[in-house]
Amino acid sequence: MAAIRLTQHRVDTLKPDRKARDIRDRDLRGFGVRILPSGLKRYFLHSQVDGRRIWHTIGDARVISLETARSKAGAMLASRINGDQAGPVAPVLFETVAEEVFRRYGRHWKPLTRRVNLGYYRNQIRPWFKGRAIADVTRLDVQEWFASLHKTPVAADRSAPVLSVIMRQAEVYGYRAQGSNPCRGIRRYRRRGRERFLTNDEIRRLSLALDRHRHSHPLHASIIRLLLLTGCRRSEILTLKWPEYREGNLHLRDSKTGPRTVWLSSPARRILDGLPRSGPWVFPAPHRNSYLSRQSLQWFWQHVRDDAGIADVRLHDLRHTYASVALAHGETILTIGRLLGHNDPMTTLKYTHLADATVHEAAEALAPILGGEG
């Protein structure tokens, strides 16, 4: 981190970079200015008292002068040394920064993801950290919070990344020291996987059940078949528009992981080619200009799965089944990840345990040959 003698002229002429950077003052230890990629500049004080790191944002360089900020930092540092933990400047509270993160960074999330994350923030995160200085939240604080959620491990695991984003952006916005994210390395709860994979017999029974219901609910039945034949997410098929089906494949403009191509098999193409085109939506809702609702599809799915004798299977399990069948037929993890639209290969690696039986079969098949028994 650079250390120079800060002057008002130097602060005014500092230029932003692609990443936030800190310039420390050579005359007052721990005092400096952070330049954000947006061009904003914030004065800060970073000190250590009794082995504890203290980080405070002094103020916006557009609002207060260098000398005013240096004077406040000096007074704050003196009060820290003298044991006055309150200090002359009010700390920036956790909830203040969190709200700023949802306002500024939240646009990077899809609307549904933002609503879900906001729910985890309000229910699991804010009650614990509200009223604390954002700069003073430590790794121990996060560990204690995470442990307090042990009775709801799913909520704990899903709210931890939200807290991590808040802490990471707090660094970016100049409220915490860089590299101080206290969520880094927090181990998630181990839960029994909820993945459910249909057997060949269950797939056959599901197909027969769909045949029995396709005359009364042709669009619903076609959606279920496409989910099984493509491994797509429910939202990707429900919200499909006809312009996205061209050249024999789906060209999704806005999937969960961004635009992607879904390569279709012949049976999947036959389903789409057999559907009527009466508007922009492939699966239009009756009596309104939109697509079939999730509730309508879920109602149909519950009836079909009961009819097929697979009452414990979720719609999302059709996606897991697609991956398991692909793996059983020798497709690589990389290929399966592309088929499913995974950006991160680690997401696809959860299916590797499905190959254990295949590997065992291969070992048994090779034994007679390599052992001289052939």
Side-chain angles (χ1 to χ4, degrees):
M1 187 180 296
I4 62 175
R5 185 179 184 278
L6 286 178
T7 65
Q8 189 64 59
H9 176 72
R10 281 180 170 171
V11 171
D12 292 340
T13 56
L14 285 170
K15 302 296 183 184
D17 205 343
R18 287 183 297 177
K19 293 184 178 181
R21 72 183 196 277
D22 296 340
I23 305 296
R24 298 220 179 202
D25 185 29
R26 191 173 59 197
D27 293 344
L28 180 59
R29 187 174 182 179
F31 173 66
V33 62
R34 172 169 291 186
I35 306 96
L36 305 178
S38 64
L40 292 177
K41 302 168 188 177
R42 291 195 176 106
Y43 295 112
F44 66 83
L45 176 65
H46 185 204
S47 60
Q48 188 165 324
V49 178
D50 297 329
R52 184 186 179 200
R53 288 185 175 185
I54 305 297
W55 177 280
H56 265 293
T57 299
I58 306 297
D60 191 329
R62 298 173 302 178
V63 178
I64 63 176
S65 67
L66 170 66
E67 288 310 311
T68 299
R70 185 185 277 121
S71 175
K72 287 185 176 182
M76 184 184 296
L77 187 60
S79 68
R80 292 288 185 185
I81 294 173
N82 293 329
D84 179 9
Q85 296 300 310
V89 179
V92 180
L93 298 181
F94 173 85
E95 60 270 25
T96 302
V97 179
E99 289 167 8
E100 182 179 350
V101 170
F102 273 93
R103 187 173 62 253
R104 295 175 59 182
Y105 183 83
R107 65 179 182 271
H108 296 291
W109 290 320
K110 291 185 179 296
L112 178 59
T113 302
R114 189 183 186 279
R115 288 198 297 271
V116 170
N117 289 347
L118 188 59
Y120 284 123
Y121 165 68
R122 289 172 174 170
N123 297 320
Q124 276 76 34
I125 299 174
R126 185 173 62 186
W128 184 274
F129 294 99
K130 184 178 180 180
R132 305 191 190 192
I134 187 74
D136 293 344
V137 176
T138 66
R139 182 175 173 81
L140 180 59
D141 293 329
V142 173
Q143 289 175 332
E144 290 177 347
W145 162 77
F146 197 65
S148 73
L149 299 174
H150 69 279
K151 292 183 179 179
T152 55
V154 174
D157 285 350
R158 292 180 178 175
S159 56
V162 180
L163 178 60
S164 184
V165 168
I166 293 171
M167 290 301 179
R168 184 191 69 206
Q169 292 305 116
E171 296 179 24
V172 174
Y173 301 157
Y175 299 116
R176 287 181 62 92
Q178 288 183 314
S180 65
N181 190 338
C183 300
R184 195 170 294 154
I186 296 295
R187 298 185 64 180
R188 307 290 176 85
Y189 287 102
R190 289 191 174 187
R191 313 190 304 272
R192 178 177 295 179
R194 293 184 62 197
E195 291 85 0
R196 169 75 157 81
F197 309 93
L198 275 68
T199 65
N200 290 340
D201 181 62
E202 288 174 331
I203 294 174
R204 182 187 61 81
R205 298 203 315 261
L206 174 59
S207 180
L208 292 173
L210 289 171
D211 284 341
R212 290 191 289 271
H213 291 269
R214 67 185 176 89
H215 294 294
S216 59
H217 294 85
L219 293 184
H220 296 74
S222 295
I223 291 174
I224 302 301
R225 289 195 184 277
L226 282 176
L227 290 175
L228 190 58
L229 287 168
T230 64
C232 282
R233 301 172 180 89
R234 175 179 53 184
S235 60
E236 294 171 340
I237 297 299
L238 267 179
T239 62
L240 189 64
K241 290 186 174 182
W242 283 117
E244 295 176 297
Y245 175 46
R246 60 184 185 273
E247 300 170 353
N249 297 304
L250 302 183
H251 301 272
L252 304 181
R253 291 172 293 181
D254 190 28
S255 71
K256 182 179 179 180
T257 54
R260 77 179 184 99
T261 299
V262 179
W263 306 93
L264 297 179
S265 62
S266 297
R269 288 195 295 269
R270 283 197 295 270
I271 290 173
L272 289 169
D273 292 339
L275 294 174
R277 300 196 180 200
S278 57
W281 305 101
V282 177
F283 300 103
H287 314 303
R288 62 189 180 97
N289 184 25
S290 184
Y291 52 86
L292 279 175
S293 68
R294 291 169 178 260
Q295 293 81 3
S296 174
L297 181 62
Q298 186 61 35
W299 171 86
F300 175 78
W301 172 243
Q302 288 172 351
H303 283 277
V304 168
R305 70 181 186 181
D306 289 344
D307 189 10
I310 51 172
D312 63 323
V313 176
R314 303 167 303 163
L315 273 175
H316 196 69
D317 292 328
L318 301 182
R319 181 170 165 87
H320 298 318
T321 299
Y322 179 85
S324 68
V325 171
L327 191 59
H329 282 76
E331 300 298 340
T332 66
I333 288 295
L334 179 61
T335 299
I336 294 172
R338 290 190 62 191
L339 289 171
L340 295 176
H342 289 162
N343 279 345
D344 186 355
M346 294 300 294
T347 306
T348 319
L349 285 177
K350 69 180 181 181
Y351 296 111
T352 55
H353 69 280
L354 298 173
D356 290 347
T358 303
V359 173
H360 182 263
E361 290 173 5
E364 291 292 339
L366 289 173
I369 301 172
L370 299 177
E373 299 175 14

